[in-house]
Amino acid sequence: MGAGAWGTALAKVLADAGNEVTLWSRRAELADEINDTHRNTRYIGEVELPASIRATGDAADALDGACTVLLAVPSQTLRANLEPWRDRIGADTTLVSVAKGIELDTLLRMSQVIVQVTGVDPSRVAVVTGPNLASEVLDEQPAATVVACTDSGRAVTLQRAFSTGYFRPYTNSDVVGAEIGGACKNVIALASGMAAGVGLGENTAAAIITRGLAEIMRLGLALGAKGTTLAGLAGVGDLVATCTSPRSRNRAFGARLGRGGTMESALRDAGGHVAEGVTSCQSILALAASYDVEMPLTDAVHRVCHRGLSVDEAVALLLGRSTKSE
């Protein structure tokens, strides 16, 4: 459900793995393009999609009889999208969240939003996350991912459904850790991009990634996540990919700000697409505050994106923090 870059990439993975796949697009003309040309030029350029993928602009048609539903809409619109769909979801359908974020008003993780809206048992909700840049997955470059679900049987079923020669899924029961790692890394990637934009080098990048991981782990552990999850693909793996790749939307957005761009100009240069971390930094910071967890990098990004702080001022603020033991 969702024909953006990541939804389309996952549809391709699932089709390549031999599954029957229906891809829902909110724009009927995009569904027609996918069916007629096996391409989604708006989101993934000229990559050819498997002919077996069936696209539709009708949500009811897409959900009818589905045994697994992947929710690939932006995190802040998940609730609004899911509400009209819930009555069409089967009694034992597995719901899979692939969006990364914390809901603004409620401070809920995406799996919690799904449970709250649909009323399903949490064991029916899974999360797919990890170092998965959509463009590289579409190019069939080797990638690993995490399938997190408290129901081990569903996790293994999804693992098999996603397994291809280029896409390797690992199962995990730690849904909290998988979601916190996925949401927070977007904010740290904005910080990495800002640093690169002002011309700072690899020492700074390494420090941002390392200290970013430290604050992600503080929040995750406070919420009940496992340290091993955040030290693995769903945590450090996803963080490294998003903070270092020029294909990362969040890093690229931060770099525009670092080069002196305003939020308005960065948004315009990004084709009107807001990087997830720009919104998520607000809810993550509020969630951290509710657990008395300190997240200085997230706070700095929030001040730049929402309080008018310049990137240079943010760097000075971070460097001016009191020294202490690591």
Side-chain angles (χ1 to χ4, degrees), residues 168-260:
R168 183 177 177 83
Y170 291 83
T171 59
N172 193 320
S173 61
D174 182 13
V175 173
V176 176
E179 290 188 292
I180 291 300
C184 294
K185 59 94 184 185
N186 285 330
V187 181
I188 307 303
L190 281 169
S192 293
M194 291 175 193
V198 298
L200 300 176
E202 302 307 321
N203 287 338
T204 306
I208 289 173
I209 291 171
T210 307
R211 298 313 304 160
L213 178 62
E215 62 182 64
I216 291 171
M217 293 191 76
R218 285 197 296 272
L219 179 59
L221 293 174
L223 291 168
K226 297 177 182 177
T228 50
T229 301
L230 295 169
L233 289 167
V236 68
D238 204 3
L239 181 66
V240 169
T242 313
C243 286
T244 61
S245 174
R247 297 185 178 192
S248 161
R249 181 183 293 177
N250 287 278
R251 186 186 187 280
F253 198 96
R256 294 185 185 99
L257 296 176
R259 289 193 293 267

Side-chain angles (χ1 to χ4, degrees), residues 85-305:
W85 299 342
R86 61 186 167 197
D87 293 336
R88 297 186 178 277
I89 294 169
D92 195 46
T93 299
T94 300
L95 300 174
V96 185
S97 170
V98 303
K100 298 176 178 179
I102 303 294
E103 192 173 45
L104 272 174
D105 293 336
T106 65
L107 306 185
L108 294 177
R109 293 175 282 108
M110 294 300 99
S111 66
Q112 293 175 306
V113 173
I114 293 169
V115 169
Q116 189 178 82
V117 172
T118 64
V120 304
D121 190 278
S123 64
R124 285 175 54 189
V125 180
V127 173
V128 171
T129 188
N132 300 147
L133 295 161
S135 57
E136 293 185 6
V137 172
L138 287 162
D139 288 342
E140 300 186 9
Q141 296 183 29
T145 197
V146 171
V147 177
C149 186
T150 57
D151 182 332
S152 60
R154 289 181 194 271
V156 170
T157 298
L158 287 169
Q159 180 183 45
R160 291 171 178 164
F162 277 108
S163 294
T164 69
Y166 60 90
F167 199 71
R168 183 177 177 83
Y170 291 83
T171 59
N172 193 320
S173 61
D174 182 13
V175 173
V176 176
E179 290 188 292
I180 291 300
C184 294
K185 59 94 184 185
N186 285 330
V187 181
I188 307 303
L190 281 169
S192 293
M194 291 175 193
V198 298
L200 300 176
E202 302 307 321
N203 287 338
T204 306
I208 289 173
I209 291 171
T210 307
R211 298 313 304 160
L213 178 62
E215 62 182 64
I216 291 171
M217 293 191 76
R218 285 197 296 272
L219 179 59
L221 293 174
L223 291 168
K226 297 177 182 177
T228 50
T229 301
L230 295 169
L233 289 167
V236 68
D238 204 3
L239 181 66
V240 169
T242 313
C243 286
T244 61
S245 174
R247 297 185 178 192
S248 161
R249 181 183 293 177
N250 287 278
R251 186 186 187 280
F253 198 96
R256 294 185 185 99
L257 296 176
R259 289 193 293 267
T262 63
M263 285 293 294
E264 292 74 18
S265 66
L267 180 61
R268 186 171 58 251
D269 292 345
H273 298 294
V274 176
E276 285 272 29
V278 172
T279 302
S280 290
C281 66
Q282 302 175 82
S283 49
I284 290 169
L285 197 61
L287 182 62
S290 71
Y291 281 85
D292 199 25
V293 172
E294 188 178 39
M295 300 187 76
L297 280 169
T298 302
D299 181 50
V301 169
H302 178 261
R303 293 192 191 197
V304 170
C305 293

Side-chain angles (χ1 to χ4, degrees), residues 2-15:
W6 188 220
T8 304
L10 287 175
K12 180 181 183 301
V13 170
L14 289 163

